[in-house]
Amino acid sequence: MRTLKMPSGGRMPVLGQGTWRMGEDPRRRADEVDALRYGIDLGLTLIDTAEMYGEGEAEKIVGDAIEGRRDEVFLVSKVYPHNASRRAMRVACERSLRRLRTDHIDVYLLHWRGSIPLAETFEAFFALREEGKIRDFGVSNFDVEDMEEARQYDRGLTATDQVLDNLMRRGIEWDLLPWCRRHHMPIMAYSPFHEGKLLTKPALRIIAARHEATPAQIALAWLLHQDDVATIPKSSRRERLEENRGALDVKLTREDLAELDEAFPQPTHKVPLAVS
């Protein structure tokens, strides 16, 4: 598994597991825990979650899944914007740590920008980092203007920006992705299948057939061929996890990439940062 270097020196795998919508139905809890554990078995050791997901229930599921295996896992969680003050973030982080049953989070993200000044949010991040509760910090759903402002307070240590990025939503390629590359900051792409809408597109099916792969694997391979992008597809099914893992073995050719650019054109102007 290729990894991306974090400011602390930690290494974030480029392909992992998301947990959005986990923890919302108690009847699915055992299957969700099993899926995360199986994903770890497959090498999908990057796990992304948030205090928002199931109002903490997703973090509890992750805690169950990583019990006895914490050292194998690269753990990302996110804090609500209204908890992004110095005092509230410490309380929120400690709650997340208890639910996750760990003593540290590898990367702790501000889920989206709220009303609390970024200067105070980064003070809170640094305090948690110094206390060892988090190894690195980052942001989510930040566009270039937000990143420029954050740069005034983060001492150049923001680890990643987690944003929506897939073949149907390529807006970040106009300015955000180049900005992050200039500052040696990887992107963490969520919703790589665009909630399944992408997987029905003919271009993906044609290229998938050429590689004896699936459309989902082509969608992931397109993200993974970029040196500075990680992605976190979510699944609660073992066969889907195996499929996602198989994307690491798909090597797209120049012809493939050109066909994808034709079917899903790159942006020609600035567009608002997509969140869905």
Side-chain angles (χ1 to χ4, degrees):
M1 177 74 71
R2 185 163 52 87
T3 59
L4 303 172
K5 188 176 181 180
M6 299 286 98
S8 67
R11 309 290 307 195
M12 181 172 73
V14 295
L15 180 61
Q17 304 181 73
T19 62
W20 181 61
R21 304 302 298 269
M22 286 190 180
E24 296 181 1
D25 184 349
R27 295 170 298 181
R28 300 184 61 191
R29 184 184 186 94
D31 288 340
E32 290 169 345
V33 171
D34 176 76
L36 289 171
R37 287 177 176 164
Y38 188 61
I40 297 171
D41 292 340
L42 293 173
L44 303 176
T45 55
L46 163 61
I47 298 179
D48 173 81
T49 190
E51 67 172 342
M52 185 190 82
Y53 299 165
E55 292 300 325
E57 291 301 316
E59 288 182 324
K60 292 180 183 178
I61 286 170
V62 173
D64 288 346
I66 68 174
E67 185 175 9
R69 307 185 69 175
R70 177 64 182 93
D71 292 345
E72 300 176 51
V73 173
F74 189 94
L75 192 57
V76 179
S77 193
K78 299 182 282 292
V79 61
Y80 267 126
H82 61 258
N83 286 333
S85 66
R86 182 158 182 153
R87 181 178 181 280
M89 189 187 289
R90 174 177 281 105
V91 174
C93 184
E94 289 174 349
R95 282 197 302 262
S96 289
L97 290 171
R98 286 195 297 272
R99 289 189 290 254
L100 292 162
R101 303 207 294 279
T102 185
D103 63 355
H104 73 279
I105 295 168
D106 292 291
V107 182
Y108 198 40
L109 307 179
L110 174 62
H111 207 151
W112 65 89
R113 189 166 183 180
S115 60
I116 294 171
L118 289 183
E120 183 174 356
T121 295
F122 282 98
E123 287 178 9
F125 278 143
F126 280 114
L128 292 172
R129 193 172 188 259
E130 289 167 7
E131 294 168 14
K133 291 181 170 64
I134 65 175
R135 297 279 173 85
D136 285 289
F137 55 79
V139 295
S140 182
N141 300 303
F142 268 40
D143 210 339
V144 171
E145 295 78 10
D146 304 307
M147 298 304 301
E148 290 282 6
E149 185 177 346
R151 195 75 176 169
Q152 300 175 43
Y153 310 113
D154 73 352
R155 306 178 200 170
L157 294 176
T158 297
T160 187
D161 186 10
Q162 184 181 115
V163 294
L164 188 149
D165 182 27
N166 58 55
L167 280 162
M168 292 177 66
R169 291 290 183 271
R170 298 183 64 172
I172 68 166
E173 294 176 42
W174 180 257
D175 53 357
L176 178 60
L177 185 57
W179 188 97
C180 289
R181 284 173 171 159
R182 286 196 302 273
H183 293 90
H184 309 290
M185 183 188 305
I187 286 288
M188 191 182 305
Y190 68 80
S191 196
F193 309 135
H194 205 52
E195 298 183 3
K197 300 180 184 72
L198 182 56
L199 305 184
T200 63
K201 301 300 181 181
L204 264 70
R205 293 182 177 277
I206 292 169
I207 296 170
R210 185 182 302 153
H211 288 270
E212 297 184 350
T214 67
Q217 289 172 333
I218 300 303
L220 291 176
W222 177 80
L223 287 166
L224 295 171
H225 93 277
Q226 303 174 66
D227 291 336
D228 39 20
V229 175
T231 187
I232 44 172
K234 179 255 182 180
S235 181
S236 298
R237 297 168 57 187
R238 286 188 168 212
E239 61 269 28
R240 294 299 184 207
L241 289 162
E242 292 171 358
E243 181 180 6
N244 292 345
R245 170 60 182 81
L248 292 168
D249 301 322
V250 177
K251 306 303 179 187
L252 297 176
T253 66
R254 291 183 181 179
E255 179 185 3
D256 298 329
L257 295 170
E259 289 179 19
L260 290 170
D261 283 342
E262 182 176 359
F264 308 98
Q266 295 172 293
T268 57
H269 55 84
K270 169 69 177 178
V271 294
L273 187 67
V275 295
S276 63

Short mmCIF file of all heavy atoms in Angstrom, two decimals, residues 227-272:
data_model
loop_
_atom_site.label_atom_id
_atom_site.label_comp_id
_atom_site.label_asym_id
_atom_site.label_seq_id
_atom_site.Cartn_x
_atom_site.Cartn_y
_atom_site.Cartn_z
N ASP A 227 -0.39 11.06 -7.43
CA ASP A 227 0.56 10.79 -6.35
C ASP A 227 0.16 11.40 -5.02
O ASP A 227 0.67 10.99 -3.98
CB ASP A 227 1.95 11.31 -6.73
CG ASP A 227 2.58 10.52 -7.86
OD1 ASP A 227 2.20 9.35 -8.05
OD2 ASP A 227 3.44 11.09 -8.56
N ASP A 228 -0.71 12.38 -5.01
CA ASP A 228 -0.98 13.15 -3.80
C ASP A 228 -2.46 13.11 -3.40
O ASP A 228 -2.99 14.06 -2.83
CB ASP A 228 -0.53 14.60 -3.98
CG ASP A 228 -0.84 15.13 -5.38
OD1 ASP A 228 -1.70 14.54 -6.06
OD2 ASP A 228 -0.20 16.11 -5.80
N VAL A 229 -3.12 12.01 -3.71
CA VAL A 229 -4.53 11.85 -3.39
C VAL A 229 -4.75 10.51 -2.69
O VAL A 229 -4.25 9.48 -3.14
CB VAL A 229 -5.42 11.92 -4.66
CG1 VAL A 229 -6.87 11.63 -4.33
CG2 VAL A 229 -5.30 13.30 -5.31
N ALA A 230 -5.50 10.55 -1.60
CA ALA A 230 -5.98 9.34 -0.92
C ALA A 230 -7.50 9.32 -1.04
O ALA A 230 -8.13 10.37 -1.28
CB ALA A 230 -5.57 9.34 0.55
N THR A 231 -8.11 8.17 -0.87
CA THR A 231 -9.56 8.11 -0.97
C THR A 231 -10.13 7.09 0.00
O THR A 231 -9.45 6.13 0.38
CB THR A 231 -10.02 7.82 -2.42
OG1 THR A 231 -11.45 7.93 -2.50
CG2 THR A 231 -9.59 6.44 -2.88
N ILE A 232 -11.39 7.30 0.40
CA ILE A 232 -11.99 6.54 1.50
C ILE A 232 -13.39 6.04 1.13
O ILE A 232 -14.38 6.47 1.72
CB ILE A 232 -12.04 7.39 2.78
CG1 ILE A 232 -12.52 8.82 2.45
CG2 ILE A 232 -10.68 7.43 3.47
CD1 ILE A 232 -12.79 9.68 3.66
N PRO A 233 -13.50 5.13 0.16
CA PRO A 233 -14.82 4.58 -0.16
C PRO A 233 -15.41 3.84 1.04
O PRO A 233 -14.68 3.19 1.80
CB PRO A 233 -14.53 3.62 -1.31
CG PRO A 233 -13.10 3.24 -1.13
CD PRO A 233 -12.42 4.46 -0.58
N LYS A 234 -16.72 3.94 1.19
CA LYS A 234 -17.39 3.27 2.31
C LYS A 234 -18.14 2.05 1.81
O LYS A 234 -18.79 2.08 0.76
CB LYS A 234 -18.37 4.24 2.98
CG LYS A 234 -19.15 3.64 4.15
CD LYS A 234 -20.58 3.35 3.75
CE LYS A 234 -21.36 2.80 4.93
NZ LYS A 234 -22.76 2.49 4.57
N SER A 235 -18.02 0.94 2.55
CA SER A 235 -18.81 -0.24 2.24
C SER A 235 -18.99 -1.06 3.50
O SER A 235 -18.12 -1.11 4.36
CB SER A 235 -18.14 -1.10 1.17
OG SER A 235 -18.95 -2.23 0.89
N SER A 236 -20.14 -1.72 3.58
CA SER A 236 -20.41 -2.64 4.69
C SER A 236 -20.48 -4.08 4.21
O SER A 236 -20.94 -4.95 4.94
CB SER A 236 -21.73 -2.26 5.38
OG SER A 236 -21.66 -0.97 5.92
N ARG A 237 -20.00 -4.32 2.98
CA ARG A 237 -20.06 -5.65 2.40
C ARG A 237 -18.67 -6.15 2.04
O ARG A 237 -17.88 -5.43 1.43
CB ARG A 237 -20.96 -5.64 1.16
CG ARG A 237 -22.41 -5.27 1.46
CD ARG A 237 -23.19 -4.98 0.19
NE ARG A 237 -23.17 -6.09 -0.74
CZ ARG A 237 -23.65 -6.04 -1.97
NH1 ARG A 237 -24.21 -4.90 -2.42
NH2 ARG A 237 -23.61 -7.10 -2.76
N ARG A 238 -18.40 -7.39 2.41
CA ARG A 238 -17.07 -7.96 2.18
C ARG A 238 -16.69 -7.95 0.70
O ARG A 238 -15.55 -7.65 0.35
CB ARG A 238 -17.01 -9.38 2.73
CG ARG A 238 -16.92 -9.44 4.26
CD ARG A 238 -16.66 -10.85 4.73
NE ARG A 238 -16.29 -10.89 6.15
CZ ARG A 238 -15.46 -11.77 6.68
NH1 ARG A 238 -14.92 -12.71 5.92
NH2 ARG A 238 -15.17 -11.73 7.97
N GLU A 239 -17.64 -8.31 -0.17
CA GLU A 239 -17.30 -8.39 -1.59
C GLU A 239 -16.95 -7.02 -2.16
O GLU A 239 -16.10 -6.89 -3.05
CB GLU A 239 -18.42 -9.05 -2.39
CG GLU A 239 -19.75 -8.31 -2.36
CD GLU A 239 -20.67 -8.76 -1.23
OE1 GLU A 239 -20.16 -9.22 -0.19
OE2 GLU A 239 -21.90 -8.63 -1.41
N ARG A 240 -17.59 -5.98 -1.65
CA ARG A 240 -17.27 -4.62 -2.11
C ARG A 240 -15.90 -4.19 -1.61
O ARG A 240 -15.16 -3.49 -2.31
CB ARG A 240 -18.33 -3.64 -1.63
CG ARG A 240 -19.70 -3.84 -2.25
CD ARG A 240 -19.66 -3.68 -3.75
NE ARG A 240 -20.98 -3.77 -4.34
CZ ARG A 240 -21.22 -4.17 -5.57
NH1 ARG A 240 -20.22 -4.52 -6.36
NH2 ARG A 240 -22.46 -4.23 -6.04
N LEU A 241 -15.57 -4.58 -0.40
CA LEU A 241 -14.24 -4.27 0.12
C LEU A 241 -13.15 -4.95 -0.71
O LEU A 241 -12.11 -4.35 -1.01
CB LEU A 241 -14.14 -4.70 1.59
CG LEU A 241 -14.96 -3.84 2.56
CD1 LEU A 241 -15.15 -4.58 3.88
CD2 LEU A 241 -14.29 -2.50 2.79
N GLU A 242 -13.39 -6.19 -1.10
CA GLU A 242 -12.44 -6.89 -1.97
C GLU A 242 -12.31 -6.17 -3.31
O GLU A 242 -11.21 -6.03 -3.86
CB GLU A 242 -12.88 -8.33 -2.18
CG GLU A 242 -12.81 -9.19 -0.92
CD GLU A 242 -13.46 -10.54 -1.10
OE1 GLU A 242 -14.00 -10.81 -2.19
OE2 GLU A 242 -13.44 -11.34 -0.14
N GLU A 243 -13.46 -5.71 -3.82
CA GLU A 243 -13.45 -4.97 -5.08
C GLU A 243 -12.64 -3.68 -4.95
O GLU A 243 -11.82 -3.36 -5.81
CB GLU A 243 -14.90 -4.66 -5.48
CG GLU A 243 -15.03 -3.92 -6.80
CD GLU A 243 -16.48 -3.64 -7.15
OE1 GLU A 243 -17.38 -3.91 -6.30
OE2 GLU A 243 -16.73 -3.14 -8.25
N ASN A 244 -12.87 -2.95 -3.86
CA ASN A 244 -12.13 -1.70 -3.65
C ASN A 244 -10.63 -1.98 -3.56
O ASN A 244 -9.83 -1.26 -4.16
CB ASN A 244 -12.62 -1.01 -2.37
CG ASN A 244 -14.04 -0.50 -2.48
OD1 ASN A 244 -14.60 -0.40 -3.57
ND2 ASN A 244 -14.64 -0.18 -1.35
N ARG A 245 -10.27 -3.00 -2.82
CA ARG A 245 -8.85 -3.34 -2.68
C ARG A 245 -8.24 -3.68 -4.04
O ARG A 245 -7.08 -3.35 -4.32
CB ARG A 245 -8.70 -4.53 -1.71
CG ARG A 245 -7.31 -5.14 -1.65
CD ARG A 245 -6.24 -4.17 -1.21
NE ARG A 245 -4.92 -4.78 -1.20
CZ ARG A 245 -4.15 -4.96 -2.26
NH1 ARG A 245 -4.60 -4.59 -3.47
NH2 ARG A 245 -2.96 -5.50 -2.14
N GLY A 246 -9.01 -4.31 -4.89
CA GLY A 246 -8.52 -4.67 -6.22
C GLY A 246 -8.17 -3.49 -7.09
O GLY A 246 -7.43 -3.64 -8.08
N ALA A 247 -8.68 -2.31 -6.76
CA ALA A 247 -8.36 -1.12 -7.56
C ALA A 247 -6.87 -0.80 -7.53
O ALA A 247 -6.34 -0.18 -8.46
CB ALA A 247 -9.16 0.08 -7.04
N LEU A 248 -6.18 -1.23 -6.47
CA LEU A 248 -4.74 -0.98 -6.39
C LEU A 248 -3.97 -1.71 -7.48
O LEU A 248 -2.85 -1.33 -7.82
CB LEU A 248 -4.22 -1.42 -5.02
CG LEU A 248 -4.69 -0.58 -3.82
CD1 LEU A 248 -4.34 -1.29 -2.53
CD2 LEU A 248 -4.07 0.81 -3.86
N ASP A 249 -4.57 -2.73 -8.05
CA ASP A 249 -3.89 -3.53 -9.07
C ASP A 249 -4.20 -3.05 -10.49
O ASP A 249 -3.67 -3.60 -11.46
CB ASP A 249 -4.29 -5.00 -8.93
CG ASP A 249 -3.92 -5.56 -7.57
OD1 ASP A 249 -2.85 -5.20 -7.06
OD2 ASP A 249 -4.72 -6.34 -7.02
N VAL A 250 -5.08 -2.05 -10.61
CA VAL A 250 -5.46 -1.52 -11.94
C VAL A 250 -4.52 -0.38 -12.30
O VAL A 250 -4.43 0.61 -11.56
CB VAL A 250 -6.92 -1.04 -11.94
CG1 VAL A 250 -7.26 -0.42 -13.30
CG2 VAL A 250 -7.87 -2.19 -11.62
N LYS A 251 -3.83 -0.49 -13.40
CA LYS A 251 -2.92 0.54 -13.87
C LYS A 251 -3.50 1.16 -15.14
O LYS A 251 -3.52 0.54 -16.20
CB LYS A 251 -1.53 -0.04 -14.15
CG LYS A 251 -0.94 -0.80 -12.97
CD LYS A 251 -0.84 0.05 -11.71
CE LYS A 251 -0.28 -0.74 -10.55
NZ LYS A 251 -0.35 0.04 -9.28
N LEU A 252 -3.99 2.37 -15.02
CA LEU A 252 -4.60 3.04 -16.16
C LEU A 252 -3.53 3.49 -17.16
O LEU A 252 -2.47 3.97 -16.77
CB LEU A 252 -5.41 4.23 -15.69
CG LEU A 252 -6.60 3.92 -14.77
CD1 LEU A 252 -7.27 5.21 -14.31
CD2 LEU A 252 -7.61 3.03 -15.46
N THR A 253 -3.84 3.35 -18.44
CA THR A 253 -2.92 3.77 -19.50
C THR A 253 -3.22 5.21 -19.90
O THR A 253 -4.24 5.79 -19.50
CB THR A 253 -3.09 2.87 -20.73
OG1 THR A 253 -4.41 3.08 -21.28
CG2 THR A 253 -2.93 1.39 -20.36
N ARG A 254 -2.36 5.77 -20.71
CA ARG A 254 -2.61 7.12 -21.24
C ARG A 254 -3.91 7.15 -22.03
O ARG A 254 -4.65 8.14 -22.00
CB ARG A 254 -1.44 7.56 -22.13
CG ARG A 254 -0.16 7.83 -21.37
CD ARG A 254 0.93 8.33 -22.31
NE ARG A 254 2.17 8.58 -21.60
CZ ARG A 254 3.29 9.01 -22.18
NH1 ARG A 254 3.30 9.23 -23.50
NH2 ARG A 254 4.38 9.22 -21.47
N GLU A 255 -4.16 6.07 -22.77
CA GLU A 255 -5.41 5.99 -23.54
C GLU A 255 -6.62 6.01 -22.59
O GLU A 255 -7.60 6.73 -22.85
CB GLU A 255 -5.43 4.71 -24.37
CG GLU A 255 -6.71 4.53 -25.18
CD GLU A 255 -6.76 3.19 -25.90
OE1 GLU A 255 -5.83 2.37 -25.73
OE2 GLU A 255 -7.76 2.95 -26.61
N ASP A 256 -6.55 5.25 -21.52
CA ASP A 256 -7.63 5.24 -20.55
C ASP A 256 -7.87 6.64 -19.99
O ASP A 256 -9.02 7.12 -19.92
CB ASP A 256 -7.31 4.32 -19.37
CG ASP A 256 -7.13 2.88 -19.76
OD1 ASP A 256 -7.77 2.43 -20.72
OD2 ASP A 256 -6.33 2.19 -19.08
N LEU A 257 -6.80 7.30 -19.59
CA LEU A 257 -6.91 8.63 -18.98
C LEU A 257 -7.48 9.64 -19.97
O LEU A 257 -8.29 10.49 -19.61
CB LEU A 257 -5.56 9.08 -18.44
CG LEU A 257 -5.00 8.23 -17.29
CD1 LEU A 257 -3.56 8.61 -16.99
CD2 LEU A 257 -5.85 8.40 -16.03
N ALA A 258 -7.07 9.53 -21.23
CA ALA A 258 -7.59 10.43 -22.24
C ALA A 258 -9.09 10.21 -22.45
O ALA A 258 -9.87 11.17 -22.61
CB ALA A 258 -6.83 10.24 -23.55
N GLU A 259 -9.51 8.95 -22.46
CA GLU A 259 -10.93 8.66 -22.62
C GLU A 259 -11.73 9.18 -21.43
O GLU A 259 -12.86 9.68 -21.59
CB GLU A 259 -11.13 7.15 -22.78
CG GLU A 259 -10.64 6.62 -24.11
CD GLU A 259 -10.83 5.11 -24.24
OE1 GLU A 259 -11.66 4.54 -23.48
OE2 GLU A 259 -10.16 4.50 -25.09
N LEU A 260 -11.17 9.06 -20.24
CA LEU A 260 -11.87 9.58 -19.06
C LEU A 260 -11.96 11.10 -19.10
O LEU A 260 -12.99 11.68 -18.73
CB LEU A 260 -11.16 9.11 -17.78
CG LEU A 260 -11.29 7.62 -17.49
CD1 LEU A 260 -10.36 7.21 -16.36
CD2 LEU A 260 -12.73 7.25 -17.15
N ASP A 261 -10.90 11.76 -19.58
CA ASP A 261 -10.95 13.22 -19.71
C ASP A 261 -12.00 13.66 -20.73
O ASP A 261 -12.65 14.69 -20.56
CB ASP A 261 -9.58 13.76 -20.14
CG ASP A 261 -8.58 13.80 -19.00
OD1 ASP A 261 -9.01 13.75 -17.82
OD2 ASP A 261 -7.37 13.91 -19.28
N GLU A 262 -12.16 12.86 -21.77
CA GLU A 262 -13.17 13.20 -22.78
C GLU A 262 -14.58 13.01 -22.23
O GLU A 262 -15.48 13.83 -22.46
CB GLU A 262 -12.97 12.34 -24.03
CG GLU A 262 -13.95 12.68 -25.15
CD GLU A 262 -13.68 11.88 -26.41
OE1 GLU A 262 -12.73 11.07 -26.42
OE2 GLU A 262 -14.45 12.06 -27.38
N ALA A 263 -14.77 11.94 -21.48
CA ALA A 263 -16.10 11.65 -20.93
C ALA A 263 -16.43 12.54 -19.73
O ALA A 263 -17.60 12.88 -19.52
CB ALA A 263 -16.18 10.18 -20.52
N PHE A 264 -15.40 12.89 -18.97
CA PHE A 264 -15.58 13.72 -17.77
C PHE A 264 -14.57 14.86 -17.83
O PHE A 264 -13.49 14.79 -17.24
CB PHE A 264 -15.35 12.88 -16.51
CG PHE A 264 -16.15 11.60 -16.46
CD1 PHE A 264 -15.57 10.39 -16.84
CD2 PHE A 264 -17.48 11.61 -16.06
CE1 PHE A 264 -16.31 9.21 -16.81
CE2 PHE A 264 -18.22 10.44 -16.03
CZ PHE A 264 -17.63 9.24 -16.41
N PRO A 265 -14.90 15.93 -18.55
CA PRO A 265 -13.91 16.98 -18.83
C PRO A 265 -13.39 17.68 -17.57
O PRO A 265 -14.10 17.84 -16.58
CB PRO A 265 -14.70 17.97 -19.71
CG PRO A 265 -15.82 17.18 -20.28
CD PRO A 265 -16.18 16.18 -19.23
N GLN A 266 -12.14 18.08 -17.66
CA GLN A 266 -11.55 18.88 -16.62
C GLN A 266 -12.21 20.26 -16.58
O GLN A 266 -12.72 20.74 -17.60
CB GLN A 266 -10.05 19.04 -16.86
CG GLN A 266 -9.26 17.75 -16.78
CD GLN A 266 -7.83 17.96 -17.20
OE1 GLN A 266 -7.55 18.22 -18.36
NE2 GLN A 266 -6.91 17.84 -16.24
N PRO A 267 -12.20 20.93 -15.44
CA PRO A 267 -12.84 22.25 -15.36
C PRO A 267 -12.09 23.29 -16.20
O PRO A 267 -10.86 23.23 -16.32
CB PRO A 267 -12.77 22.59 -13.87
CG PRO A 267 -11.61 21.80 -13.36
CD PRO A 267 -11.63 20.52 -14.14
N THR A 268 -12.83 24.20 -16.76
CA THR A 268 -12.24 25.28 -17.57
C THR A 268 -12.36 26.62 -16.88
O THR A 268 -12.00 27.65 -17.45
CB THR A 268 -12.93 25.35 -18.94
OG1 THR A 268 -14.34 25.55 -18.74
CG2 THR A 268 -12.70 24.06 -19.72
N HIS A 269 -12.89 26.62 -15.66
CA HIS A 269 -13.04 27.87 -14.90
C HIS A 269 -13.27 27.50 -13.44
O HIS A 269 -13.50 26.34 -13.10
CB HIS A 269 -14.22 28.69 -15.42
CG HIS A 269 -15.52 27.94 -15.44
ND1 HIS A 269 -16.34 27.82 -14.34
CD2 HIS A 269 -16.12 27.22 -16.43
CE1 HIS A 269 -17.40 27.08 -14.64
NE2 HIS A 269 -17.29 26.70 -15.90
N LYS A 270 -13.21 28.49 -12.60
CA LYS A 270 -13.45 28.27 -11.17
C LYS A 270 -14.91 27.90 -10.94
O LYS A 270 -15.83 28.51 -11.47
CB LYS A 270 -13.13 29.56 -10.40
CG LYS A 270 -13.56 29.58 -8.93
CD LYS A 270 -12.74 28.62 -8.11
CE LYS A 270 -13.14 28.69 -6.63
NZ LYS A 270 -12.39 27.74 -5.79
N VAL A 271 -15.11 26.83 -10.12
CA VAL A 271 -16.46 26.45 -9.72
C VAL A 271 -16.48 26.33 -8.19
O VAL A 271 -15.45 26.03 -7.58
CB VAL A 271 -16.90 25.10 -10.36
CG1 VAL A 271 -17.02 25.24 -11.86
CG2 VAL A 271 -15.93 23.99 -10.01
N PRO A 272 -17.63 26.56 -7.57
CA PRO A 272 -17.68 26.43 -6.11
C PRO A 272 -17.31 25.02 -5.67
O PRO A 272 -17.58 24.05 -6.39
CB PRO A 272 -19.14 26.77 -5.77
CG PRO A 272 -19.64 27.56 -6.93
CD PRO A 272 -18.90 27.03 -8.13
#
